[in-house]
Amino acid sequence: MNVFDILVRFHRAFAGGLKVTLYLAGITWLAGLTGGTWMGILAHRLRGVGIVLRSIAFLLAATPFLVMLYWATYPLQALLGVVIEPFYTAVTLLSILNIVGVAEICRTALDDFPREYVLAARVSGLSAMQTVMRIELPLLLRQVFPSLLNLQVSMLQLTLFASLISVQELFRVSQSIDSQIHKPVEIYTALAIFFIGVCAPINGLALWMKHRFTRDISER
Amino acid sequence: MLAGQKLRKTFGSLVALNDVDVSVARDKITVVIGPSGSGKTTLLRALALLDPPDRGCVSIDGTAFQFPRRNSGTLAPPWPKVTVVFQQLFLWPHLTLRENILLPLRLNGGDFARFEEVIRLFGMIDFLDRYPNEASLGQRQRAALARALVLEPHYVLLDEITSALDIEQTGIIMNYLFSLRDRGIGLMVVTHFIGFAKRILARREGDQLVFLEGGSVLESGDIGVLENPKHPRLRAFLAASQLVS
Protein backbone atom coordinates (compact mmCIF):
# COMPACT_ATOMS: atom_id res chain seq x y z
CA MET A 1 0.00 0.00 0.00
CA ASN A 2 1.64 3.22 -1.14
CA VAL A 3 1.00 6.81 -0.09
CA PHE A 4 -1.66 7.28 -2.76
CA ASP A 5 -3.51 4.08 -1.76
CA ILE A 6 -3.53 5.21 1.86
CA LEU A 7 -4.85 8.63 0.94
CA VAL A 8 -7.64 7.06 -1.13
CA ARG A 9 -8.58 4.45 1.43
CA PHE A 10 -8.61 6.80 4.38
CA HIS A 11 -9.66 9.93 2.59
CA ARG A 12 -12.63 10.52 4.88
CA ALA A 13 -10.47 10.29 7.99
CA PHE A 14 -7.81 12.52 6.45
CA ALA A 15 -10.45 15.01 5.31
CA GLY A 16 -11.88 15.10 8.83
CA GLY A 17 -8.44 15.68 10.32
CA LEU A 18 -7.64 18.28 7.71
CA LYS A 19 -10.89 20.09 8.50
CA VAL A 20 -10.02 20.26 12.20
CA THR A 21 -6.47 21.42 11.44
CA LEU A 22 -7.74 24.12 9.11
CA TYR A 23 -10.35 25.19 11.68
CA LEU A 24 -7.63 25.45 14.32
CA ALA A 25 -5.33 27.38 12.01
CA GLY A 26 -8.09 29.53 10.53
CA ILE A 27 -9.46 30.67 13.88
CA THR A 28 -5.93 31.24 15.16
CA TRP A 29 -5.01 33.31 12.10
CA LEU A 30 -8.20 35.37 12.22
CA ALA A 31 -7.94 36.05 15.94
CA GLY A 32 -4.24 36.82 15.74
CA LEU A 33 -4.33 39.12 12.74
CA THR A 34 -7.35 41.13 13.87
CA GLY A 35 -6.90 41.09 17.64
CA GLY A 36 -3.12 41.34 17.39
CA THR A 37 -3.23 44.32 15.07
CA TRP A 38 -5.54 46.25 17.41
CA MET A 39 -3.56 45.19 20.45
CA GLY A 40 -0.35 46.33 18.72
CA ILE A 41 -1.85 49.73 17.93
CA LEU A 42 -3.08 50.07 21.53
CA ALA A 43 0.31 49.04 22.88
CA HIS A 44 1.95 51.66 20.68
CA ARG A 45 -0.40 54.41 21.82
CA LEU A 46 -0.79 53.53 25.50
CA ARG A 47 2.43 53.04 27.39
CA GLY A 48 0.79 50.85 30.06
CA VAL A 49 -0.62 48.43 27.49
CA GLY A 50 2.79 48.34 25.81
CA ILE A 51 4.50 47.33 29.05
CA VAL A 52 1.91 44.62 29.76
CA LEU A 53 2.21 43.30 26.19
CA ARG A 54 5.99 43.15 26.32
CA SER A 55 5.86 41.35 29.68
CA ILE A 56 3.40 38.76 28.37
CA ALA A 57 5.44 38.29 25.18
CA PHE A 58 8.57 37.81 27.30
CA LEU A 59 6.89 35.15 29.44
CA LEU A 60 5.35 33.33 26.48
CA ALA A 61 8.66 33.29 24.63
CA ALA A 62 10.27 31.65 27.65
CA THR A 63 7.65 28.92 27.99
CA PRO A 64 7.51 25.91 25.62
CA PHE A 65 4.13 25.61 23.89
CA LEU A 66 3.71 22.02 25.00
CA VAL A 67 4.05 23.03 28.65
CA MET A 68 1.45 25.75 28.18
CA LEU A 69 -0.91 23.36 26.42
CA TYR A 70 -0.66 20.70 29.12
CA TRP A 71 -0.90 23.26 31.88
CA ALA A 72 -4.03 24.82 30.35
CA THR A 73 -5.57 21.39 29.79
CA TYR A 74 -4.93 19.70 33.10
CA PRO A 75 -3.85 21.83 36.10
CA LEU A 76 -5.71 24.98 35.10
CA GLN A 77 -9.00 23.22 34.41
CA ALA A 78 -8.65 21.22 37.61
CA LEU A 79 -8.01 24.42 39.57
CA LEU A 80 -11.02 26.10 38.01
CA GLY A 81 -13.19 22.98 38.33
CA VAL A 82 -14.17 23.04 34.66
CA VAL A 83 -13.77 20.69 31.75
CA ILE A 84 -13.23 22.36 28.40
CA GLU A 85 -13.17 20.49 25.13
CA PRO A 86 -9.58 19.99 23.95
CA PHE A 87 -10.32 21.76 20.66
CA TYR A 88 -11.35 24.94 22.48
CA THR A 89 -8.40 24.73 24.84
CA ALA A 90 -5.99 24.39 21.91
CA VAL A 91 -7.59 27.10 19.79
CA THR A 92 -7.72 29.54 22.72
CA LEU A 93 -4.08 29.02 23.55
CA LEU A 94 -2.97 29.23 19.90
CA SER A 95 -5.02 32.39 19.46
CA ILE A 96 -3.48 34.04 22.52
CA LEU A 97 -0.01 33.18 21.23
CA ASN A 98 -0.81 34.55 17.80
CA ILE A 99 -2.44 37.72 19.15
CA VAL A 100 0.62 38.46 21.28
CA GLY A 101 3.00 37.64 18.41
CA VAL A 102 1.16 39.81 15.89
CA ALA A 103 0.76 42.60 18.44
CA GLU A 104 4.48 42.63 19.15
CA ILE A 105 5.32 42.78 15.43
CA CYS A 106 2.87 45.67 14.95
CA ARG A 107 3.94 47.52 18.09
CA THR A 108 7.62 47.32 17.19
CA ALA A 109 6.96 48.52 13.64
CA LEU A 110 4.84 51.43 14.89
CA ASP A 111 7.31 52.37 17.63
CA ASP A 112 10.20 52.39 15.14
CA PHE A 113 8.33 54.24 12.39
CA PRO A 114 10.14 57.52 11.65
CA ARG A 115 7.75 60.29 12.73
CA GLU A 116 9.38 62.66 10.27
CA TYR A 117 7.79 60.88 7.29
CA VAL A 118 4.46 61.82 8.84
CA LEU A 119 5.56 65.41 9.46
CA ALA A 120 6.76 65.64 5.85
CA ALA A 121 3.30 64.48 4.75
CA ARG A 122 1.49 66.95 6.97
CA VAL A 123 3.53 69.95 5.83
CA SER A 124 2.87 68.82 2.25
CA GLY A 125 -0.82 69.33 2.92
CA LEU A 126 -1.86 65.68 3.31
CA SER A 127 -4.72 65.14 5.77
CA ALA A 128 -4.31 62.79 8.71
CA MET A 129 -6.26 60.08 6.85
CA GLN A 130 -4.27 60.56 3.63
CA THR A 131 -1.06 60.35 5.63
CA VAL A 132 -2.14 57.04 7.15
CA MET A 133 -3.34 55.57 3.84
CA ARG A 134 -0.58 56.83 1.53
CA ILE A 135 2.49 56.99 3.74
CA GLU A 136 2.21 55.11 7.02
CA LEU A 137 0.29 52.00 5.93
CA PRO A 138 2.30 51.23 2.78
CA LEU A 139 5.58 51.60 4.65
CA LEU A 140 4.39 49.65 7.69
CA LEU A 141 2.85 46.83 5.66
CA ARG A 142 6.06 46.37 3.70
CA GLN A 143 7.88 46.08 6.97
CA VAL A 144 5.55 43.72 8.84
CA PHE A 145 4.15 41.43 6.12
CA PRO A 146 7.06 38.96 5.86
CA SER A 147 7.24 38.59 9.66
CA LEU A 148 3.46 38.18 9.92
CA LEU A 149 3.40 35.48 7.25
CA ASN A 150 6.27 33.60 8.88
CA LEU A 151 4.43 33.74 12.19
CA GLN A 152 1.26 32.36 10.60
CA VAL A 153 3.24 29.42 9.18
CA SER A 154 4.60 28.74 12.66
CA MET A 155 1.07 28.85 14.07
CA LEU A 156 -0.10 26.28 11.52
CA GLN A 157 2.77 24.02 12.51
CA LEU A 158 1.95 24.47 16.19
CA THR A 159 -1.54 23.03 15.60
CA LEU A 160 0.17 19.62 15.53
CA PHE A 161 0.60 19.81 19.28
CA ALA A 162 -3.17 19.79 19.70
CA SER A 163 -3.02 16.07 18.93
CA LEU A 164 -1.34 15.57 22.30
CA ILE A 165 -4.50 16.63 24.11
CA SER A 166 -6.66 14.43 21.86
CA VAL A 167 -7.82 16.98 19.31
CA GLN A 168 -8.70 14.98 16.21
CA GLU A 169 -6.62 17.06 13.85
CA LEU A 170 -4.51 15.79 10.97
CA PHE A 171 -1.59 14.48 13.00
CA ARG A 172 -3.86 12.68 15.44
CA VAL A 173 -5.78 11.09 12.56
CA SER A 174 -2.49 9.99 10.99
CA GLN A 175 -1.46 8.36 14.26
CA SER A 176 -4.79 6.53 14.44
CA ILE A 177 -4.48 5.24 10.88
CA ASP A 178 -0.91 4.15 11.57
CA SER A 179 -2.07 2.18 14.61
CA GLN A 180 -4.44 0.29 12.30
CA ILE A 181 -2.26 -0.44 9.28
CA HIS A 182 1.30 0.06 10.57
CA LYS A 183 2.61 2.00 7.58
CA PRO A 184 4.39 4.91 9.30
CA VAL A 185 6.64 5.79 6.35
CA GLU A 186 3.74 6.22 3.93
CA ILE A 187 1.41 7.90 6.39
CA TYR A 188 3.87 10.44 7.70
CA THR A 189 5.14 11.09 4.19
CA ALA A 190 1.57 11.95 3.21
CA LEU A 191 1.38 14.23 6.25
CA ALA A 192 4.66 15.90 5.35
CA ILE A 193 3.47 16.43 1.79
CA PHE A 194 0.33 18.08 3.10
CA PHE A 195 2.24 20.50 5.34
CA ILE A 196 4.78 21.28 2.63
CA GLY A 197 1.88 21.89 0.26
CA VAL A 198 0.32 24.43 2.60
CA CYS A 199 3.36 25.99 4.27
CA ALA A 200 5.74 26.24 1.29
CA PRO A 201 3.52 28.63 -0.70
CA ILE A 202 3.03 30.84 2.36
CA ASN A 203 6.77 30.81 3.06
CA GLY A 204 7.41 31.51 -0.62
CA LEU A 205 4.99 34.42 -0.52
CA ALA A 206 6.74 35.82 2.57
CA LEU A 207 10.10 35.50 0.83
CA TRP A 208 8.81 37.11 -2.35
CA MET A 209 7.29 39.99 -0.41
CA LYS A 210 10.52 40.45 1.49
CA HIS A 211 12.44 40.75 -1.78
CA ARG A 212 9.77 42.78 -3.53
CA PHE A 213 8.87 45.28 -0.84
CA THR A 214 11.58 45.40 1.79
CA ARG A 215 14.36 46.42 -0.55
CA ASP A 216 17.21 48.42 0.91
CA ILE A 217 15.84 51.94 1.23
CA SER A 218 18.78 53.37 3.14
CA GLU A 219 20.12 56.55 1.56
CA ARG A 220 23.72 56.89 0.54
CA MET B 1 3.96 88.01 6.93
CA LEU B 2 4.83 84.95 9.01
CA ALA B 3 5.74 86.07 12.50
CA GLY B 4 6.40 84.66 15.90
CA GLN B 5 6.06 86.87 18.97
CA LYS B 6 7.35 86.08 22.45
CA LEU B 7 7.70 82.40 21.53
CA ARG B 8 8.61 80.20 24.46
CA LYS B 9 9.19 76.47 24.37
CA THR B 10 10.54 74.21 27.08
CA PHE B 11 11.48 70.55 27.17
CA GLY B 12 11.41 69.65 30.86
CA SER B 13 13.80 72.06 32.55
CA LEU B 14 15.47 73.03 29.25
CA VAL B 15 14.31 76.35 27.81
CA ALA B 16 14.59 75.83 24.06
CA LEU B 17 12.99 79.14 23.09
CA ASN B 18 12.90 82.13 25.40
CA ASP B 19 10.54 84.92 24.28
CA VAL B 20 11.76 84.85 20.70
CA ASP B 21 10.49 87.44 18.20
CA VAL B 22 11.06 86.65 14.54
CA SER B 23 9.40 87.42 11.24
CA VAL B 24 9.53 86.22 7.66
CA ALA B 25 8.20 88.56 5.00
CA ARG B 26 6.94 87.50 1.56
CA ASP B 27 9.74 87.92 -1.02
CA LYS B 28 12.36 88.18 1.72
CA ILE B 29 14.81 85.77 3.27
CA THR B 30 15.33 85.49 7.00
CA VAL B 31 18.51 83.65 7.89
CA VAL B 32 18.71 82.11 11.35
CA ILE B 33 22.20 81.27 12.56
CA GLY B 34 23.49 79.95 15.84
CA PRO B 35 25.51 77.12 17.31
CA SER B 36 24.15 73.58 17.67
CA GLY B 37 21.46 73.38 20.34
CA SER B 38 20.68 77.09 20.17
CA GLY B 39 17.03 76.43 19.31
CA LYS B 40 17.09 77.01 15.54
CA THR B 41 15.16 73.88 14.60
CA THR B 42 12.78 74.32 17.53
CA LEU B 43 12.03 77.84 16.30
CA LEU B 44 11.40 76.59 12.78
CA ARG B 45 9.06 73.86 13.99
CA ALA B 46 7.23 76.29 16.28
CA LEU B 47 6.68 78.75 13.44
CA ALA B 48 5.38 75.97 11.18
CA LEU B 49 3.12 74.83 14.06
CA LEU B 50 4.59 71.35 13.77
CA ASP B 51 5.64 71.56 17.37
CA PRO B 52 3.68 74.56 18.67
CA PRO B 53 5.21 76.83 21.30
CA ASP B 54 4.10 76.67 24.92
CA ARG B 55 3.54 80.39 24.95
CA GLY B 56 3.47 83.24 22.45
CA CYS B 57 1.78 84.01 19.19
CA VAL B 58 2.36 82.78 15.65
CA SER B 59 0.65 84.80 12.96
CA ILE B 60 0.41 83.75 9.35
CA ASP B 61 -0.80 86.36 6.88
CA GLY B 62 -2.94 87.99 9.55
CA THR B 63 -4.28 84.82 11.15
CA ALA B 64 -3.06 84.65 14.74
CA PHE B 65 -2.47 81.45 16.69
CA GLN B 66 -2.18 82.31 20.37
CA PHE B 67 -0.49 79.90 22.81
CA PRO B 68 -1.42 78.44 25.19
CA ARG B 69 -4.63 77.70 23.35
CA ARG B 70 -7.72 79.07 25.04
CA ASN B 71 -9.97 76.28 23.72
CA SER B 72 -8.88 72.70 23.33
CA GLY B 73 -10.09 72.37 19.72
CA THR B 74 -7.73 71.16 17.03
CA LEU B 75 -5.50 73.71 15.36
CA ALA B 76 -6.37 74.52 11.75
CA PRO B 77 -3.07 73.54 10.13
CA PRO B 78 -1.38 76.20 7.98
CA TRP B 79 0.18 73.61 5.67
CA PRO B 80 1.05 73.63 2.81
CA LYS B 81 0.79 77.45 2.80
CA VAL B 82 3.64 77.26 5.28
CA THR B 83 5.86 74.32 4.51
CA VAL B 84 9.14 72.89 5.72
CA VAL B 85 12.13 71.24 4.06
CA PHE B 86 13.82 69.15 6.71
CA GLN B 87 17.54 68.72 7.20
CA GLN B 88 17.25 64.98 6.52
CA LEU B 89 14.72 65.69 3.73
CA PHE B 90 12.43 62.75 4.60
CA LEU B 91 11.47 61.87 1.10
CA TRP B 92 9.08 58.91 1.30
CA PRO B 93 11.26 55.90 0.51
CA HIS B 94 8.54 53.76 -1.11
CA LEU B 95 7.86 56.38 -3.78
CA THR B 96 10.04 57.58 -6.64
CA LEU B 97 11.11 61.22 -6.69
CA ARG B 98 8.37 61.89 -9.24
CA GLU B 99 5.75 60.28 -6.99
CA ASN B 100 7.11 62.14 -3.97
CA ILE B 101 6.47 65.42 -5.76
CA LEU B 102 3.18 64.44 -7.40
CA LEU B 103 1.45 62.82 -4.43
CA PRO B 104 0.77 66.07 -2.52
CA LEU B 105 -0.20 67.75 -5.78
CA ARG B 106 -2.72 65.01 -6.65
CA LEU B 107 -4.23 64.86 -3.18
CA ASN B 108 -4.50 68.64 -2.85
CA GLY B 109 -5.85 69.14 -6.37
CA GLY B 110 -2.92 71.30 -7.41
CA ASP B 111 -1.90 72.61 -10.81
CA PHE B 112 0.11 70.05 -12.80
CA ALA B 113 1.63 72.80 -14.94
CA ARG B 114 3.37 73.85 -11.75
CA PHE B 115 4.98 70.41 -11.55
CA GLU B 116 6.48 70.77 -15.03
CA GLU B 117 7.68 74.26 -14.18
CA VAL B 118 9.39 73.18 -10.95
CA ILE B 119 10.98 70.17 -12.63
CA ARG B 120 12.44 72.42 -15.31
CA LEU B 121 13.59 74.97 -12.73
CA PHE B 122 15.48 72.30 -10.80
CA GLY B 123 16.69 70.36 -13.87
CA MET B 124 15.26 67.12 -12.55
CA ILE B 125 14.02 65.39 -15.68
CA ASP B 126 16.87 62.85 -15.84
CA PHE B 127 16.42 61.35 -12.40
CA LEU B 128 12.72 61.79 -11.63
CA ASP B 129 11.99 58.08 -11.69
CA ARG B 130 14.65 57.10 -9.21
CA TYR B 131 13.82 56.09 -5.67
CA PRO B 132 15.29 58.36 -3.00
CA ASN B 133 17.99 55.84 -2.13
CA GLU B 134 19.01 55.65 -5.79
CA ALA B 135 19.49 59.41 -6.09
CA SER B 136 22.46 61.51 -5.01
CA LEU B 137 22.15 63.87 -2.08
CA GLY B 138 21.96 66.90 -4.37
CA GLN B 139 19.19 65.25 -6.38
CA ARG B 140 17.29 64.45 -3.21
CA GLN B 141 17.71 68.04 -2.01
CA ARG B 142 16.16 69.30 -5.21
CA ALA B 143 13.33 66.75 -4.99
CA ALA B 144 12.56 67.82 -1.41
CA LEU B 145 12.50 71.46 -2.47
CA ALA B 146 10.33 70.63 -5.48
CA ARG B 147 7.90 68.70 -3.25
CA ALA B 148 7.57 71.76 -1.07
CA LEU B 149 7.18 74.17 -3.97
CA VAL B 150 4.63 72.50 -6.26
CA LEU B 151 1.83 73.46 -3.89
CA GLU B 152 2.76 77.12 -4.22
CA PRO B 153 3.45 77.85 -0.56
CA HIS B 154 3.65 81.39 0.77
CA TYR B 155 6.46 80.53 3.17
CA VAL B 156 9.13 77.84 3.03
CA LEU B 157 11.17 77.08 6.12
CA LEU B 158 14.46 75.33 5.35
CA ASP B 159 16.31 73.49 8.07
CA GLU B 160 20.07 73.16 7.41
CA ILE B 161 19.42 71.97 3.90
CA THR B 162 22.99 72.59 2.74
CA SER B 163 24.68 70.93 5.69
CA ALA B 164 25.79 67.90 3.67
CA LEU B 165 26.43 69.60 0.34
CA ASP B 166 29.67 70.61 -1.32
CA ILE B 167 30.36 74.21 -2.38
CA GLU B 168 29.05 73.75 -5.91
CA GLN B 169 25.79 72.15 -4.77
CA THR B 170 25.39 74.84 -2.12
CA GLY B 171 25.76 77.49 -4.81
CA ILE B 172 23.08 75.81 -6.90
CA ILE B 173 20.69 75.62 -3.95
CA MET B 174 21.39 79.26 -3.13
CA ASN B 175 20.42 80.31 -6.63
CA TYR B 176 17.19 78.33 -6.26
CA LEU B 177 16.47 80.21 -3.05
CA PHE B 178 16.95 83.55 -4.77
CA SER B 179 14.62 82.53 -7.56
CA LEU B 180 11.99 81.50 -5.01
CA ARG B 181 12.30 84.80 -3.20
CA ASP B 182 11.92 86.59 -6.52
CA ARG B 183 8.65 84.72 -7.00
CA GLY B 184 7.29 86.24 -3.78
CA ILE B 185 7.89 83.31 -1.46
CA GLY B 186 9.04 84.11 2.06
CA LEU B 187 11.98 81.98 3.13
CA MET B 188 13.46 81.15 6.48
CA VAL B 189 16.87 79.55 6.14
CA VAL B 190 18.28 77.89 9.23
CA THR B 191 22.01 77.32 8.96
CA HIS B 192 25.19 77.29 10.97
CA PHE B 193 27.39 78.08 7.95
CA ILE B 194 28.34 81.74 8.20
CA GLY B 195 29.64 81.86 4.64
CA PHE B 196 26.31 80.62 3.32
CA ALA B 197 24.44 83.17 5.45
CA LYS B 198 26.72 86.01 4.25
CA ARG B 199 26.29 85.11 0.60
CA ILE B 200 22.51 85.08 0.95
CA LEU B 201 22.36 88.39 2.80
CA ALA B 202 24.84 90.16 0.49
CA ARG B 203 22.60 89.65 -2.52
CA ARG B 204 19.76 92.05 -1.77
CA GLU B 205 18.68 94.57 0.83
CA GLY B 206 15.77 93.77 3.07
CA ASP B 207 16.80 90.24 3.95
CA GLN B 208 17.57 89.81 7.59
CA LEU B 209 19.67 87.77 9.95
CA VAL B 210 18.78 86.42 13.38
CA PHE B 211 21.45 85.11 15.74
CA LEU B 212 20.08 82.62 18.22
CA GLU B 213 21.89 81.35 21.31
CA GLY B 214 20.45 79.41 24.24
CA GLY B 215 16.94 79.88 22.90
CA SER B 216 17.18 83.70 22.80
CA VAL B 217 17.71 86.16 19.96
CA LEU B 218 20.97 87.89 20.88
CA GLU B 219 21.24 90.01 17.76
CA SER B 220 19.31 90.61 14.55
CA GLY B 221 19.39 92.91 11.55
CA ASP B 222 20.77 93.07 8.02
CA ILE B 223 24.18 91.91 6.76
CA GLY B 224 25.78 94.67 8.85
CA VAL B 225 25.25 92.46 11.89
CA LEU B 226 27.76 90.01 10.46
CA GLU B 227 30.23 92.75 9.54
CA ASN B 228 30.04 94.65 12.85
CA PRO B 229 28.64 92.32 15.48
CA LYS B 230 27.80 94.04 18.75
CA HIS B 231 27.08 91.10 20.99
CA PRO B 232 30.26 89.43 22.29
CA ARG B 233 28.75 85.99 21.85
CA LEU B 234 28.11 86.62 18.16
CA ARG B 235 31.65 87.99 17.80
CA ALA B 236 33.00 84.80 19.37
CA PHE B 237 30.78 82.66 17.17
CA LEU B 238 31.91 84.44 14.00
CA ALA B 239 35.56 84.25 15.06
CA ALA B 240 35.23 80.51 15.69
CA SER B 241 33.58 79.91 12.33
CA GLN B 242 36.29 81.97 10.57
CA LEU B 243 38.91 79.85 12.26
CA VAL B 244 37.26 76.69 10.94
CA SER B 245 36.71 77.98 7.41
Side-chain angles (χ1 to χ4, degrees), chain B:
Chain B
M1 175 83 83
L2 168 65
Q5 291 165 323
K6 301 281 177 204
L7 300 180
R8 185 178 172 82
K9 180 86 184 171
T10 56
F11 298 104
S13 60
L14 176 77
V15 181
L17 294 178
N18 189 13
D19 291 341
V20 170
D21 290 328
V22 69
S23 63
V24 184
R26 300 282 297 268
D27 80 7
K28 296 279 186 296
I29 301 179
T30 297
V31 181
V32 180
I33 61 166
S36 298
S38 57
K40 302 187 296 290
T41 299
T42 307
L43 173 63
L44 181 144
R45 286 180 177 231
L47 274 178
L49 301 183
L50 279 175
D51 207 354
D54 302 329
R55 211 172 63 199
C57 179
V58 175
S59 64
I60 302 164
D61 290 339
T63 306
F65 299 87
Q66 191 71 45
F67 298 94
R69 302 264 296 151
R70 288 202 180 84
N71 53 20
S72 56
T74 50
L75 207 62
W79 322 301
K81 193 160 86 172
V82 176
T83 192
V84 178
V85 179
F86 299 94
Q87 183 175 8
Q88 291 91 353
L89 305 176
F90 299 114
L91 293 166
W92 303 305
H94 61 302
L95 303 178
T96 62
L97 300 183
R98 181 194 298 275
E99 291 163 340
N100 261 277
I101 300 164
L102 281 177
L103 182 69
L105 197 64
R106 282 202 189 105
L107 298 178
N108 287 290
D111 179 7
F112 280 80
R114 179 81 178 142
F115 169 75
E116 302 291 342
E117 188 189 338
V118 170
I119 294 312
R120 265 199 309 276
L121 173 72
F122 289 163
M124 294 179 63
I125 198 72
D126 294 335
F127 55 87
L128 262 181
D129 292 312
R130 291 183 193 169
Y131 283 94
N133 71 320
E134 296 166 347
S136 71
L137 183 56
Q139 291 168 343
R140 290 202 299 272
Q141 299 267 17
R142 282 183 268 174
L145 273 170
R147 182 174 68 179
L149 295 175
V150 284
L151 294 166
E152 304 190 55
H154 295 186
Y155 304 97
V156 183
L157 314 181
L158 305 128
D159 188 8
E160 303 269 14
I161 57 156
T162 58
S163 59
L165 294 184
D166 59 27
I167 291 169
E168 189 181 8
Q169 290 285 353
T170 303
I172 293 169
I173 291 287
M174 201 158 62
N175 285 330
Y176 293 149
L177 300 185
F178 293 138
S179 69
L180 298 180
R181 180 187 57 186
D182 295 342
R183 288 158 175 261
I185 296 173
L187 298 165
M188 174 185 264
V189 180
V190 167
T191 184
H192 61 265
F193 289 121
I194 301 302
F196 182 58
K198 269 185 184 166
R199 282 162 68 188
I200 288 178
L201 294 167
R203 185 73 169 251
R204 201 170 78 175
E205 281 184 14
D207 294 336
Q208 61 162 336
L209 177 108
V210 173
F211 176 63
L212 211 58
E213 162 83 359
S216 298
V217 176
L218 297 189
E219 202 162 339
S220 62
D222 59 15
I223 191 167
V225 170
L226 288 177
E227 286 157 1
N228 298 301
K230 291 185 178 62
H231 199 284
R233 184 63 192 94
L234 178 55
R235 279 202 295 273
F237 181 70
L238 294 177
S241 65
Q242 262 181 353
L243 201 67
V244 172
S245 63

